[in-house]
Amino acid sequence: MSLSLRSFHLFFIAVSILLSVWVGVWGIGSYRSGGGVTGLVFAALFLLVGFVLLVYWVKVRRKFREMGPEE
């Protein structure tokens, strides 16, 4: 079983979104446990990156649908 380049691209973006959200949640946990403002900044940055990647994922899916089926 092999993944097409389109499928791999969407998979890679989805994994990146999950990783960004996970690091963001970890940053919030670090801040709440007394880790200082650095954890909060880290969380905000990575949650923003996760949101931007989500928007990118939606746009890429639409573009791939417009392109039609793979050969």
Side-chain angles (χ1 to χ4, degrees):
M1 183 172 132
S2 65
L3 284 175
S4 68
L5 188 57
R6 290 180 186 183
S7 298
F8 177 74
H9 191 74
L10 290 173
F11 173 75
F12 190 75
I13 296 169
V15 169
S16 298
I17 292 168
L18 292 174
L19 181 61
S20 295
V21 170
W22 182 65
V23 172
V25 170
W26 174 77
I28 292 171
S30 175
Y31 173 73
R32 293 182 81 193
S33 68
V37 179
T38 307
L40 190 59
V41 171
F42 214 61
L45 176 67
F46 275 89
L47 290 174
L48 177 65
V49 167
F51 178 74
V52 170
L53 282 170
L54 180 64
V55 170
Y56 176 67
W57 184 77
V58 168
K59 289 186 178 194
V60 167
R61 279 194 66 200
R62 286 183 187 155
K63 183 67 174 178
F64 285 164
R65 284 186 183 165
E66 290 173 6
M67 290 172 60
E70 297 180 64
E71 295 181 11

